[in-house]
Amino acid sequence: DMKKLRKSLIIFALSATAICGISLSISKNNLSEVSAQQHVENFELYDYQNYSGTYYDFLGTSTLTNGLNGTLRTKLSSNILPKDWYSYSGSGEKTLSSILQQADEDPSNHDNMVFLYTRDSVKKQPAGTWNREHTWPKNLSGGNWGEGKAGTDILHLRPTYQTPNSTRSNNKFAEISGGQKRTYNGMDFGYTSGSNFMPLDAVKGDVARIIMYVWVAYKDYYSSMPNITNVFESYDTLLKWHTQDKPDLMEAHRNDVAEDSYQKNRNPFVDHPEYAEYIWNENGLLDNK
């Protein structure tokens, strides 16, 4: 069973990963009994070249054309759209409060979950004590999502503390040199400059792949879907982060949870990173697409 093997590999890999232990006091977020470990380095890489599932069989064996309007993108769009969505609020198995605790579970401590920007391991608690971060902010979505559909997609939302969530706010993802370092309870979680935000190196690829997924999955679903440059400074930066911070086992775990969940889908840019090049880079890095 590849999923059981992958979970075992996650646990083994993380036990060997250098982890910076930090004692936290985070009453500001109403969390309690937390013993946090910040995963400042990337998790073990996901061996996506050996992905053996059948999820992508729908692409068939025929030649697929590349580019923004190629058949690869259009076939992905229709097939990776969730079959169902979770409720933004409330409790129960069909809510974000429940499913994100599974999707973002710390593989080395099943009582904890890993937050996005700080990448620290936090005791699982209901979503009222942590923020559901829209990686593509609501205010940059052209009014398309809030607390429904794409705004509740578990492959889009990630758990965060309130303060890093507010610091990121509606800022675009961008490369920053000499900006303001952002910390929370002694943990670095990125830089800001003007209306731009740059997360930790180990988070850059994660957010790039989330944004690519959201755009492809919902491009034909919403009539006024904005370009990726609404949330990323350029396609150069998008593909640079995607290439430099490769998919890791935590992202593979999230895909497995999503496929087994009510959504029944996966983020293809985790399982097939090369798809990003086929869609956005067929003629080189183009900033004006």
Side-chain angles (χ1 to χ4, degrees):
D1 188 306
M2 289 300 295
K3 292 181 183 177
K4 289 182 179 178
L5 175 60
R6 184 178 299 148
K7 192 163 188 178
S8 297
L9 288 172
I10 293 174
I11 294 171
F12 173 77
L14 286 183
S15 66
T17 300
I19 295 174
C20 176
I22 299 176
S23 295
L24 298 182
S25 173
I26 48 180
S27 58
K28 185 173 182 179
N29 290 277
N30 298 317
L31 292 166
S32 62
E33 300 179 74
V34 175
S35 177
Q37 290 180 312
Q38 187 181 19
H39 300 274
V40 294
E41 302 296 332
N42 204 354
F43 293 112
E44 186 77 5
L45 293 183
Y46 168 36
D47 187 8
Y48 49 81
Q49 293 180 326
N50 287 327
Y51 172 77
S52 60
T54 60
Y55 181 78
Y56 300 96
D57 288 357
F58 68 82
L59 291 173
T61 57
S62 59
T63 301
L64 298 170
T65 58
N66 300 340
L68 292 179
N69 296 308
T71 53
L72 172 61
R73 197 278 298 167
T74 57
K75 291 190 78 170
L76 283 174
S77 295
S78 61
N79 284 277
I80 67 174
L81 190 74
K83 306 302 183 289
D84 195 2
W85 289 271
Y86 285 78
S87 297
Y88 187 84
S89 302
S91 60
E93 64 178 14
K94 287 204 68 175
T95 66
L96 288 175
S97 179
S98 173
I99 192 64
L100 289 180
Q101 291 184 65
Q102 299 176 44
D104 292 279
E105 182 178 278
D106 184 341
S108 61
N109 183 351
H110 299 313
D111 293 328
N112 286 17
M113 59 197 298
V114 176
F115 283 4
L116 177 61
Y117 297 127
T118 51
R119 280 177 73 91
D120 63 318
S121 179
V122 178
K123 187 175 179 65
K124 289 180 180 177
Q125 294 197 32
T129 63
W130 42 267
N131 277 199
R132 289 144 290 190
E133 158 74 339
H134 290 80
T135 310
W136 190 323
K138 292 182 284 187
N139 287 351
L140 299 181
S141 74
N144 284 315
W145 52 80
E147 298 181 0
K149 307 302 182 183
T152 63
D153 188 328
I154 63 175
L155 291 175
H156 173 200
L157 275 72
R158 300 288 294 271
T160 64
Y161 294 113
Q162 186 275 330
T163 297
N165 191 3
S166 296
T167 299
R168 188 278 163 104
S169 186
N170 298 313
N171 295 326
K172 282 188 177 184
F173 291 118
E175 287 282 358
I176 294 174
S177 177
Q180 181 180 356
K181 179 185 286 189
R182 295 293 187 165
T183 62
Y184 179 68
N185 279 334
M187 297 179 291
D188 294 345
F189 66 87
Y191 291 82
T192 56
S193 178
S195 59
N196 293 329
F197 173 72
M198 182 174 72
L200 299 174
D201 287 347
V203 178
K204 288 178 177 178
D206 299 58
V207 299
R209 285 180 282 278
I210 290 171
I211 296 304
M212 290 189 288
Y213 160 78
V214 172
W215 187 81
V216 170
Y218 293 97
K219 182 181 186 297
D220 297 329
Y221 186 82
Y222 293 110
S223 60
S224 58
M225 182 74 179
N227 291 328
I228 281 178
T229 47
N230 258 39
V231 65
F232 252 89
E233 66 172 350
S234 69
Y235 290 93
D236 279 347
T237 299
L238 176 83
L239 293 176
K240 177 182 177 182
W241 289 8
H242 169 58
T243 301
Q244 290 183 343
D245 175 28
K246 300 183 185 303
D248 62 31
L249 289 174
M250 191 74 178
E251 292 175 85
H253 169 72
R254 298 191 94 258
N255 262 5
D256 289 345
V257 170
E259 186 177 10
D260 289 340
S261 75
Y262 292 104
Q263 287 195 184
K264 306 297 182 193
N265 68 338
R266 300 179 71 88
N267 180 337
F269 304 104
V270 172
D271 297 320
H272 289 279
E274 72 276 11
Y275 288 176
E277 295 289 327
Y278 297 157
I279 294 172
W280 287 286
N281 195 29
E282 77 278 11
N283 294 313
L285 296 172
L286 302 177
D287 287 328
N288 298 315
K289 289 183 179 179

